[in-house]
């Protein structure tokens, strides 16, 4: 890919339309600044950070890059108003909201001069984002790691449908780790891509080494989308997953139990490295990830693969 401008590079003032997804327990200032320094858009994941830790990460990111970066705010978590206040005080210019209503913060942030993107997993919600006036929509398919939609719509089906129904800049997410996948997403109608799992297995990600190495060993079929009636999440089928399935099937105290298990278990797995008792969020594309790499190498590979593909004509 040559660094030609398109809707996404212009919107965020970046070189390539490649966004590193905000990911709990992975995307601190090191990952976000490394991606921004390569010409993409790095996002700090606020979802696993107490407010003071978020502030520290933003300040360190500002030191580590003079390129644009943003903050991902999943609206599932507490302290949201405080998080937004910190983002404004620290002069962050870009926010990606997810797991909530795009109307809640879009106008407030835009009035302060920020660009706002919102993550959805269906065409219906993509249209709601457009109504809410967001600057860009991230449409995330069923393959994606982490929290997801209930409808099991794959990226391949979601992107063309969203493209048909909205005119805002569109970012495809879910199942993108190779240049060929990025090119496919853009042929389907996306203006850029948001990549999670591939950046989770990088040297700069803040996750535990046990987990990063585990990602490189995962095979097709090793992840599953569970908790669909509560907060659907794609994770590895380990001991914790099996326990969760049992509790969930019995239906006893499920909401409070799963909520409390889920949050602590994500830290235990991905940050503390317990591969059996912890919750391990990752996408289907993990089957294509064989190595923990520096961000710069991930970028070089993506761009090389992207440029080498000649799209066939019939
Ligand atoms: C470990 C992990 C943690 C995630 N945490 C978040 C999060 O905090 N906020 C969010 O909006 N999405 C989160 N996601 C979803 C990503 O932002 C992204 O949309 C998704 O990973 C894209 O699909 P891929 O994993 O196939 O690249 C997470 C994904 C992973 C793999």
């Amino acid at each position: 890919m040559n660094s030609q401008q398109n809707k996404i590079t212009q919107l965020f003032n970046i070189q390539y339309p490649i966004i590193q997804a905000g990911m709990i327990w992975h995307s601190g200032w090191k990952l976000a600044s490394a991606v921004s320094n390569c010409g993409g858009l790095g996002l700090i994941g606020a979802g696993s950070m107490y407010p003071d830790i978020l502030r520290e990460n933003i300040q360190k990111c500002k030191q580590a890059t003079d390129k644009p970066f943003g903050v991902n705010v999943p609206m599932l978590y507490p302290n949201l108003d405080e998080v937004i206040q910190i983002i404004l005080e620290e002069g962050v210019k870009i926010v990606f909201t997810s797991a909530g209503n795009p109307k809640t913060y879009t106008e407030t942030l835009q009035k302060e001069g920020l660009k706002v993107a919102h993550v959805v997993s269906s065409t219906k919600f993509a249209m709601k984002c457009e109504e809410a006036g967001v600057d860009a929509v991230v449409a995330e398919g069923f393959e994606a790691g982490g929290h997801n939609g209930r409808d099991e719509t794959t990226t391949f089906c979601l992107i063309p449908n969203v493209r048909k129904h909205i005119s805002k800049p569109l970012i495809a997410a879910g199942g993108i780790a190779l240049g060929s996948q990025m090119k496919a997403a853009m042929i389907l109608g996306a203006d850029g891509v948001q990549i999670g799992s591939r950046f989770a297995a990088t040297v700069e990600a803040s996750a535990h080494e046990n987990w990063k190495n585990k990602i490189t060993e995962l095979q097709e079929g090793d992840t599953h989308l569970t908790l669909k009636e509560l907060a659907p999440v794609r994770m590895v089928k380990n001991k914790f997953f099996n326990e969760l399935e049992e509790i969930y099937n019995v239906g006893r105290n499920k909401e409070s139990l799963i909520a409390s298990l889920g949050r602590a278990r994500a830290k235990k797995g991905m940050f503390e490295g317990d591969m059996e008792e912890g919750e391990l969020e990752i996408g289907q594309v993990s089957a294509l990830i064989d190595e923990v790499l520096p961000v710069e190498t991930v970028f070089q590979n993506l761009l090389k693969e992207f440029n080498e593909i000649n799209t066939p004509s019939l």
Side-chain angles (χ1 to χ4, degrees):
M1 151 158 283
N2 303 316
S3 52
Q4 287 162 354
Q5 292 285 289
N6 78 357
K7 282 187 192 171
I8 292 296
T9 58
Q10 278 165 355
L11 178 63
F12 298 129
N13 193 22
I14 53 178
Q15 197 177 353
Y16 302 111
I18 299 174
I19 288 120
Q20 162 255 310
M23 290 180 286
I24 54 164
W25 304 115
H26 293 74
S27 54
W29 67 273
K30 277 191 192 156
L31 180 58
S33 61
V35 170
S36 291
N37 283 333
C38 284
L41 181 70
L43 297 181
I44 295 173
S48 50
M49 295 179 184
Y50 288 116
D52 54 331
I53 302 284
L54 172 63
R55 192 187 292 278
E56 189 187 323
N57 270 271
I58 296 172
Q59 289 175 349
K60 287 190 169 158
C61 204
K62 286 193 276 191
Q63 300 275 313
T65 185
D66 55 6
K67 305 268 173 57
F69 70 91
V71 176
N72 166 247
V73 181
M75 293 159 81
L76 288 172
Y77 296 117
N79 310 321
L80 276 184
D81 288 341
E82 200 178 345
V83 163
I84 296 294
Q85 196 51 40
I86 290 170
I87 286 171
L88 293 175
E89 283 168 13
E90 292 298 328
V92 173
K93 299 279 185 290
I94 300 164
V95 168
F96 277 48
T97 48
S98 57
N101 185 340
K103 284 201 179 134
T104 315
Y105 290 113
T106 298
E107 207 184 319
T108 313
L109 292 168
Q110 286 174 336
K111 273 193 186 144
E112 300 294 327
L114 283 82
K115 302 287 182 210
V116 182
H118 189 79
V119 186
V120 297
S121 56
S122 72
T123 302
K124 186 172 120 194
F125 282 102
M127 289 162 77
K128 287 198 190 299
C129 286
E130 194 154 70
E131 268 169 46
V134 299
D135 296 288
V137 175
V138 182
E140 187 195 62
F142 167 71
E143 305 89 325
H147 288 282
N148 207 311
R150 293 175 175 81
D151 294 339
E152 306 197 357
T153 310
T154 60
T155 304
F156 225 79
C157 293
L158 181 64
I159 300 304
N161 204 18
V162 173
R163 179 73 297 162
K164 204 162 82 182
H165 287 88
I166 68 161
S167 58
K168 292 275 175 189
L170 172 60
I171 299 162
I176 301 165
L178 306 174
S180 54
Q181 292 167 319
M182 179 173 166
K183 190 158 241 178
M186 294 181 76
I187 291 171
L188 292 173
D191 302 298
V193 293
Q194 170 169 289
I195 297 180
S197 298
R198 178 55 273 188
F199 284 121
T202 54
V203 173
E204 291 87 346
S206 55
H208 197 280
E209 293 304 312
N210 290 355
W211 170 227
K212 293 189 201 177
N213 291 329
K214 172 97 178 169
I215 296 171
T216 67
E217 292 162 10
L218 293 171
Q219 303 291 318
E220 204 176 289
D222 283 349
T223 70
H224 192 79
L225 187 76
T226 184
L227 303 179
K228 279 174 72 176
E229 281 74 19
L230 299 170
V233 56
R234 178 174 297 283
M235 62 171 83
V236 172
K237 294 191 268 183
N238 64 354
K239 181 162 176 273
F240 169 65
F241 169 86
N242 292 331
E243 283 168 17
L244 210 52
E245 288 288 286
E246 262 172 50
I247 296 165
Y248 184 52
N249 289 339
V250 173
R252 216 170 347 106
N253 288 331
K254 61 182 181 186
E255 256 155 310
S256 58
L257 189 51
I258 289 165
S260 62
L261 276 174
R263 288 201 67 194
R265 295 292 189 122
K267 182 178 186 195
K268 197 180 185 70
M270 298 184 285
F271 196 65
E272 295 170 351
D274 189 330
M275 296 297 96
E276 285 308 322
E277 302 290 342
E279 179 187 330
L280 306 173
E281 297 182 13
I282 201 77
Q284 289 185 341
V285 80
S286 52
L288 289 166
I289 299 171
D290 302 328
E291 251 185 304
V292 177
L293 295 171
V295 163
E296 200 179 351
T297 312
V298 170
F299 250 81
Q300 285 164 355
N301 292 347
L302 267 172
L303 299 178
K304 185 167 177 286
E305 289 158 5
F306 188 99
N307 287 331
E308 276 174 4
I309 294 160
N310 285 319
T311 41
S313 44
L314 298 176

